Structures are given as C-alpha cells and as structure tokens.
Amino acid sequence: MSVATLFADIARELNSDDDPQATLQRVVDLAVASVPGAEHAAITTMSGLEFTTVATTDDLPMRVDQVQYETREGPCVDSLLRHEVHQANDLATDTRFPLFAREAVRRTGVRSMLSFRLFTEDGSLGALNMYAMVPDAFSSASVAMGAVFAAHASVAVRSARTAEARDELRDALSEGRDVSVAVGIVIAATGCSDEEARSVLEAAARDRRVAVHEVAEQVLESRQPPADTETEEATTGAGPRSREGASANHHWPRDEAKVLLAGLTGLGLALALVGAFSSSPTQRPLAVLLIPVLAIALVASWVSTAAVALLAVAAGGAMFATGDPASGDLRLRFAALLVGAALAVVFAVVRERREGELSEQVAAVAVGRARAETESILTVMLSRLPELDAAPDVEGVARRACPMARDLFGADHVSYWQVEGPDCVLVCRDPGGGIPSGTRVPRHVFVSNSAGQERNRTTWVRAAEVSVPEEGAVVARAVNAEVGASTPIQVAGQTVAYLGMSWTHGRAEPDRSWLDAVDRFADQIALSKTVIRRRLAQRETLSLAQRFQAGMLPPIPDQDLLTVRTLYRPGHQQMLLGGDFLDVLTEAQDTISFILGDVSGHGPEQAALGATLRGAWLSLASIPALGPRDWALALNRVVHARAPHDGVFVTAVMGQLNPRLGTLDYVSAGHPPPILLRPTVTGAPIGDPVLGVDPTLEFTVRHLDLPDEWAVLLVTDGLFEGQLPGRNGPHGDYYDFLNHLRDTSNSDIDSHTWLNDLADTLETANGGPLSDDAAALLLTPRSTPPPAT
C-alpha cells in the first residue's frame, strides 16, 4: 500500500470517533501499525508539572514512562517541554538522558524511542511516543512517517475534542434550560427576583449534595419550589415571608396597604349610603356593604379581602343589632351579607391561586421559548461554521463572522476590532458605513464588568447605564444603540480581538445560555483563524518546497544537436522534499555534459545536499580540463563533507555525450546506468559504489559507441521500484524495468509526452504514486549529425 493511501486510511480511521479517549487509543494502535520499527506506542499529556500517560498499546510504555516521570528526563519529557522531535537510537549508550536511559534499559529492556510533540489550536496536547526493544529501530523513514502521523493525530484529537465540547455545550444548554424553567417556577411561587430564585436552587443543591440541574429536574416534576426553602428579602434584610404574601406582592405590585385603605374607604361610603337610603333600621340595605368587599376580592390578596369582609360583616352586625332582630327581612339581608362576604373571600383565594398558576406557566413558557431560541442559534451556528474555515485569509474570517453574527443573534450592527497594543482597530463592520475601517479606540472601551455575568466572557450593557469615554464617542454616535454586547476573542488564553454587537431598540437582557452561545461563537472564530493561519503556513511551506525542488530539477531547453526531455514524479511521500537532482550543460565542440542523482532519504537536509551537489557539478563541468572521473571524485568528497549525518549516501550517473561522434562516456556511482532505447533496449554496464561510502574510492569511466539511431534514457530507481506492468513480484528492479521497456513500443520516443506516458503507466500498475520520488532524463538527436571533422 502506498503511503498516500495509508495516510488517507489513517485520517478516516482517526476521525471516525468523536470520543477523545477512543481517538487517543486509535492513535497509539495505528502508530504501531504505520510507523516502521514501532513495537509499542503511548501518548503522554502534561498538566502543570505533572505528566500522565493517557493511552497505551500495552503495559511496557507505562513502565517506560514511569521511569521518565521519576527521573524527569527522557525523549518524551523533552518533546513536551522543548517543542521538539526526539529520537533515541540506543538507550544503552545514549548520554543525553543518563538517569532515564540506564533505568529504562535495566527495568524494561527498551532500547529505541521516538517521540513527537502533538500540537492543537491551543498549544501542546502531549507527546506521541514509540518504543522498540532493539537498537536503531527507527530510520529516517520512521521519523518522516511519524511526523506526518503525529500531524494527522493532532488534527483528529482536536476534532474529537471539538465534537466533545459541542456535545457538552448542548448538554449545558439543556441543563440550563431546565434550571431557567425551575427559576421561573420559584419566582412565580415566591415573588422573589431572578438572582434570589437561583440562590434558592443553589442552596437546595448544597443541602442535598447534588447538582443544581438535578434540583431543577425535581422542581419541574413537582411544579413546586424546593421543599423547606424560603426566600429572604434581599433589599431590606427582613426575615422569611409567606408564600401567599409574596405571591400577592409579585402578582399585584400595588402597595397592599393602599389597596386595603381603598377598600376601607369604599366600605365607609357604603355605610353612608346604607344610612342615607334607609328610613328605618329594619329597612337598611345591608347588601350594599358587599360592594367594596367584592371590589377588593377582584384586585387584592385574600388577606385584604378577608379584612374588609370582616369589617363589613361587623358593621352589618351592628346595624342588625340596632334594628329589629325579629324582622325576618332584616335577618335575611344580614344572612346574605354573611354569605356574600364568605364567598368573596373564597373567590379571592381561588383567583389568587389560579393567577399564580397562570403566572408560573407564562414564566416557564417564556423561559422555555428563550432556551429554544438559544438552542436554535447553536444548531444554525454549527451548520455554518465551515464558512469561517473556508475564508481565504485571517482577515476574511472577521469579514465573514460579522454578517454571520447578525444572522445568528439578530443584532442591528456587528463590528470586529483587532487588538493592537493598548488600542483596538476596526477591521470590519456589518452593515458598513458610519465608522471607517482602521478606526482606533482604546482597548478599555470594550472591557466592562456587568453584575451577574461573571460566568460569561460576553458583557451585556445598556447605553443608559454606561458612560462612553471621549475616545469612543464617535463609535457610540455611529452605533446609536440602546443595548449591546462585547465579546473577547481569545487565542491560547490571550485576547486578540473583540466582537461587538448592538441593538438600536430595547431588548431584554439575555440569560446565561444565550451568552454561552456568543462565547462559543467567539471561540469558533478564534479556532478558524488558527486553522487558516496553519493552512496558509502549509501552503507557503509547500510553495517553498516546490521552488526548492524546481531548483534541483530545472527545465532544460533543447540543445543544438540534442532534444532534452526531463521528468520528475513525487512518490508516496510527496509531502516531503526529495533529494533527486539533474542538469545538462553544453560544452565546446558540441559535447553535452549531464548528471542525474538521488540523495538517500527525504527532507530538507537531503534536498539541500542535492542542491549543493548540483551546484558543485555545474562548476566542475564548466572546466574543460575535467571529465566524468574528476567530477565523481570531487562529488564524493562533497558528500563526505556535507552529508547531514552518517548513513546518508548519493547515487549518481554523470557523463559526456557527443552527438557528432556518437560517443557516450559516463561514470555510474551506484546508480542505474544509461539505457539505450534504439535500435533495441540495452542496458549499459553497471558502475562503481555510491558516493559517500569511501572517501578514497576510485571511479571508472565507461565508454559506449552509439548506433546510427539512438536514444539515451537515464532514470532514478524510484521509477521502477514499485509494481511493474505484467510482473508478478511486489517490487520491480532494474532488469524488470528493461524488460518492460522492451515490451513497450518505442516508436513514439520522439513525442514530448513519452516520458509522462511512461510514468503514468507505471503509476497505474503501482496502484497510486510511485514507491519513491522519480526523475528521468531522455536524450535524443535532433537530426543526423554531419561527419566529424
């Protein structure tokens, strides 16, 4: 399987689970299966100064890590603390970690370690560690594979943690909705304020030693406040008040004393009317006294109604006593007064309880509607977050965030302010106008502490409650808002910008879940900015790599007597720089000098060495007195002097071709020799060992007389190391490649697409990119050269 296909499978596998712990376990399991030499793997995290192994393939990494934690040294510890990749080839002889290495070998038998630091958007997540029980288990290929694998793992863990955070936010919103509805029930039942109701739930949670949302669930089931809890007056410090009195005060905010006074005044008027319209004591209309009682029963609490009713009955009783008790008509009117007063009190009680239930329902519905609106905002937000990640640059995130915030939160104006030292600079505003981009205001304009919002970063303010500093007056005039919100956007704990929203009309202060949603939106803005910065950095790195690679494989124009075709195909490690290089130089007397080489391994060091060798060869080939043997001797010394580390070697074929004379002289240093394609496919003799093995090595110049019709092909081994067409073995070799060329029609060699067609055929047979980077050089005569003079 090609590495490109392997990492595609790894990416799908790592992103298949939203559980962070399951993702960590997948990382270590796949690391052992993917990185050459890895026998065991683990992930270590760091919190403060404490290290923790959070995922492991088996028991051995735990034991090795324990030694690292005890000694506070080792590849894993250094990877976490120093942001580096660490490779230990043999702990038995490693002097960098004297305490750890000795103990690890003695207690566990581990010999090789390879550690990579895992990065996420908020800094370091931890270290990915791989272990082997044999020395020198990890090669440069292991390091390259592990580095890419660690990048995939970081992204996968970040995605899983983001999914977990979103689930947690949904759960928090659900719990917050239950708590808010329970707060409404407490308010409706006791007449207390929002903060007092929340204090009631928190006190009940402390008494019962459970979470607040569990108390809220019980309140929702019973539709009653928590048992044995009473609310104290927050403003006066008075003791507990009764449920009925509190309820009356909440539902009827009039002063109860004034209502009672009005009832007594009405009763006095009724008594006056009774006296004025009765000619004798036996004819007094006692039912008139029910009028103020019924009026009070419609608007006041049952306590006030009972007080007025008692006074009315007392007055009626006095009139009854001073009249003729034997009069059946008077007794009937007094009995009607008694029954009417009692019914009025009962009516007041029933009315008060019913209105309390209705108020409770209205409060619960209002809170539920607010929570449903917030949850809808969150759902839409999650569906639109890819718009932020698709922005072309970091500033584009801000320009997309402003209209998105207007759509999500219904704001009239949204602005994005970038922090620059003590000031904030306006980046964009939606809708535009009023305030030009680049406007500066002091940063403290956006920093405001409002009571009751300590749990949220977002600050909610009313224009009438704050004084805008003189420096921010232009902004205040342009916005012309009654209420607004300011949200800091934080990256790695540092505030880098502010998102401002405002409304030109009055709006009720939102609850905490709404503020949570705004905070989450700000977090997503910060995450998108981080993602885009990394994407741009990767593009720049890739562009630099491509330019660097192009410098080693330049386009070569046709020569006077020679047609030159070149090819470069990245292999399955196409994300890394390769070490292939080639060039052609025309000398005097129509001699064409050429070189094609390949540095072992991949990476910037190998690419740099390849560029150095190409530059050195150009200098050597421009000196007429020097030939292929001299070039090989000099380049061999360059490899010894400039190789990044032991074990790096270079294969190369270099020579001189004279089209007029039909001769080819070359040196092959461990490289596939030239191939003659005409009149039949023939491989030239294989040459000497590779460059970089022995500084005293001698090289042999080999000579070929070219036929009348000829074409010379030079290739690196990456072109034929993979699966070849029609071959049964898993890997091809030089001779299989020659046979493939013999089976291929060479009639179209002069076509400018012949080399690319050949590479396409080989990639198809290989099932994807070639097994290694491949370069090729095809030299054909442009016309039949005249006889040499």
Side-chain angles (χ1 to χ4, degrees):
M1 183 188 298
S2 70
V3 176
T5 303
L6 172 63
F7 276 115
D9 292 340
I10 288 174
R12 285 191 294 270
E13 183 76 8
L14 289 180
N15 287 281
S16 63
D17 202 322
D18 287 341
D19 180 3
Q21 185 57 45
T23 301
L24 292 174
Q25 190 61 46
R26 289 178 186 270
V27 167
V28 295
D29 292 340
L30 288 172
V32 173
S34 307
V35 177
E39 299 175 8
H40 314 268
I43 290 179
T44 296
T45 60
M46 178 178 175
S47 178
L49 296 178
E50 295 299 321
F51 300 95
T52 305
T53 302
V54 296
T56 179
T57 54
D58 50 68
D59 178 62
L60 182 128
M62 293 289 292
R63 293 188 286 124
V64 176
D65 289 351
Q66 185 61 38
V67 178
Q68 294 192 90
Y69 305 158
E70 292 173 1
T71 60
R72 310 296 290 183
E73 68 177 26
C76 167
V77 173
D78 278 13
S79 293
L80 278 169
L81 297 179
R82 300 182 183 178
H83 298 238
E84 296 176 353
V85 176
H86 272 285
Q87 179 177 359
N89 292 324
D90 189 354
L91 292 175
T93 59
D94 199 313
T95 59
R96 293 174 297 174
F97 318 112
L99 298 177
F100 162 73
R102 182 178 64 252
E103 284 299 304
V105 173
R106 183 181 67 83
R107 290 161 55 177
T108 68
V110 68
R111 296 292 294 274
S112 301
M113 281 190 65
L114 184 59
S115 297
F116 298 88
R117 188 172 187 185
L118 300 180
F119 290 92
T120 61
E121 73 282 352
D122 58 351
S124 172
L125 167 72
L128 172 62
N129 311 306
M130 282 160 278
Y131 315 78
M133 307 305 289
V134 296
D136 300 315
F138 301 109
S139 63
S140 58
S142 303
V143 176
M145 290 277 285
V148 180
F149 186 88
H152 278 275
S154 295
V155 173
V157 174
R158 185 195 69 186
S159 299
R161 287 197 167 183
T162 300
E164 182 186 46
R166 291 173 179 172
D167 292 340
E168 290 175 353
L169 180 57
R170 289 192 183 97
D171 293 341
L173 285 173
S174 178
E175 293 175 1
R177 180 173 62 251
D178 293 344
V179 170
S180 296
V181 174
V183 166
I185 292 175
V186 175
I187 291 173
T190 64
C192 62
S193 67
D194 178 85
E195 288 299 318
E196 290 170 341
R198 291 184 184 275
S199 298
V200 168
L201 297 179
E202 292 169 358
R206 286 194 299 271
D207 292 343
R208 302 174 188 180
R209 296 183 179 180
V210 296
V212 174
H213 72 86
E214 295 182 31
V215 175
E217 291 174 357
Q218 297 170 2
V219 171
L220 291 178
E221 292 177 1
S222 65
R223 313 302 295 179
Q224 297 293 330
D228 301 325
T229 58
E230 295 178 323
T231 304
E232 296 186 357
E233 293 285 358
T235 56
T236 64
R241 41 182 190 169
S242 68
R243 173 181 173 184
E244 293 81 6
S247 178
N249 185 56
H250 175 69
H251 298 306
W252 305 102
R254 305 172 181 83
D255 191 327
E256 195 72 12
K258 292 181 180 179
V259 175
L260 182 59
L261 179 61
L264 295 176
T265 301
L267 181 61
L269 291 174
L271 288 171
L273 290 174
V274 170
F277 290 101
S278 59
S279 57
S280 67
T282 58
Q283 297 177 348
R284 291 169 180 167
L286 299 182
V288 175
L289 298 177
L290 286 175
I291 294 176
V293 177
L294 294 174
I296 286 295
L298 290 173
V299 298
S301 68
W302 72 268
V303 176
S304 297
T305 302
V308 175
L310 286 174
L311 291 175
V313 170
M319 290 182 181
F320 174 74
T322 59
D324 183 5
S327 170
D329 187 49
L330 185 60
R331 286 198 302 270
L332 181 61
R333 287 196 293 273
F334 181 67
L337 175 61
L338 288 174
V339 174
L343 290 176
V345 173
V346 172
F347 171 78
V349 172
V350 174
R351 188 221 71 224
E352 186 176 356
R353 289 185 176 179
R354 178 56 181 164
E355 289 182 347
E357 293 173 357
L358 291 175
S359 177
E360 175 185 316
Q361 293 174 7
V362 169
V365 169
V367 172
R369 184 180 297 115
R371 290 301 177 273
E373 177 186 0
T374 302
E375 192 162 355
S376 175
I377 288 173
L378 178 64
T379 301
V380 176
M381 181 198 307
L382 294 177
S383 67
R384 296 190 60 181
L385 289 180
E387 297 178 25
L388 297 179
D389 291 343
D393 50 35
V394 174
E395 187 173 312
V397 174
R399 299 193 179 280
R400 295 188 179 199
C402 288
M404 190 182 298
R406 283 193 67 198
D407 295 341
L408 291 173
F409 303 104
D412 295 320
H413 298 90
V414 179
S415 55
Y416 187 97
W417 299 81
Q418 189 73 29
V419 173
E420 291 187 6
D423 296 335
C424 289
V425 179
L426 180 63
V427 176
C428 61
R429 184 168 177 261
D430 189 74
I435 311 175
S437 297
T439 299
R440 285 181 173 268
V441 297
R443 180 175 176 178
H444 63 77
V445 170
F446 298 93
V447 181
S448 175
N449 295 320
S450 295
Q453 295 183 11
E454 295 82 357
R455 299 185 184 181
N456 299 93
R457 297 201 313 268
T458 299
T459 301
W460 182 264
V461 295
R462 296 186 178 277
E465 298 174 355
V466 297
S467 58
V468 180
E470 183 63 30
E471 302 90 335
V474 61
V475 177
R477 287 193 296 270
V479 170
N480 191 27
E482 291 191 17
V483 293
S486 172
T487 307
I489 297 173
Q490 298 177 340
V491 176
Q494 300 296 319
T495 299
V496 298
Y498 287 91
L499 184 71
M501 296 188 289
S502 62
W503 290 259
T504 57
H505 58 282
R507 173 186 172 130
E509 182 171 343
D511 58 15
R512 286 174 181 165
S513 65
W514 189 91
L515 298 175
D516 282 338
V518 180
D519 289 348
R520 172 59 63 175
F521 183 64
D523 291 339
Q524 294 299 332
I525 293 174
L527 177 58
S528 295
K529 292 177 66 174
T530 302
V531 168
I532 289 176
R533 283 195 184 96
R534 289 183 177 175
R535 184 169 67 223
L536 294 176
Q538 290 170 352
R539 287 178 181 174
E540 183 178 358
T541 301
L542 179 60
S543 177
L544 288 172
Q546 290 172 340
R547 291 199 295 270
F548 194 7
Q549 197 75 65
M552 298 166 62
L553 304 160
I556 301 174
D558 290 339
Q559 312 299 309
D560 291 341
L561 299 177
L562 204 64
T563 298
V564 180
R565 298 281 183 265
T566 61
L567 169 78
Y568 176 73
R569 285 289 176 93
H572 55 214
Q573 299 191 44
Q574 54 188 316
M575 70 291 292
L576 300 174
L577 282 169
D580 293 2
F581 61 95
L582 59 81
D583 213 331
V584 172
L585 185 65
T586 302
E587 301 179 17
Q589 299 178 347
D590 300 321
T591 298
I592 308 299
S593 298
F594 61 85
I595 188 171
L596 178 67
D598 182 9
V599 182
S600 62
H602 292 81
E605 293 178 334
Q606 282 78 3
L609 179 58
T612 300
L613 293 174
R614 174 176 169 268
W617 177 83
L618 285 172
S619 299
L620 294 167
S622 63
I623 302 175
L626 302 181
R629 179 178 177 277
D630 303 305
W631 306 340
L633 291 171
L635 294 182
N636 189 35
R637 291 193 293 270
V638 171
V639 175
H640 275 279
R642 296 300 177 89
H645 53 78
D646 294 341
V648 172
F649 60 88
V650 178
T651 68
V653 58
M654 60 200 85
Q656 294 174 317
L657 188 150
N658 191 317
R660 293 187 183 276
L661 298 177
T663 60
L664 172 63
D665 297 294
Y666 70 93
V667 169
S668 175
H671 199 87
I675 300 172
L676 292 178
L677 298 178
R678 288 174 176 164
T680 59
V681 175
T682 305
I686 295 177
D688 302 304
V690 299
L691 303 177
V693 173
D694 182 359
T696 63
L697 187 68
E698 293 292 330
F699 296 93
T700 303
V701 177
R702 303 182 185 278
H703 176 81
L704 290 178
D705 290 320
L706 302 177
D708 293 338
E709 291 187 10
W710 56 269
V712 176
L713 176 64
L714 307 168
V715 299
T716 60
D717 53 11
L719 203 62
F720 54 76
E721 284 186 339
Q723 178 67 49
L724 294 175
R727 301 299 183 264
N728 296 325
H731 302 290
D733 59 22
Y734 176 68
Y735 299 102
D736 287 336
F737 182 61
L738 291 180
N739 290 330
H740 170 68
L741 292 177
R742 294 187 182 105
D743 296 340
T744 304
S745 173
N746 295 325
S747 60
D748 57 348
I749 289 177
D750 295 323
S751 169
H752 69 281
T753 64
W754 186 83
L755 272 180
N756 282 308
D757 293 341
L758 174 63
D760 290 342
T761 300
L762 296 175
E763 285 189 341
T764 300
N766 199 51
L770 300 173
S771 300
D772 194 2
D773 298 343
L777 185 62
L778 177 62
L779 307 175
T780 57
R782 296 189 64 180
S783 62
T784 303
T789 58

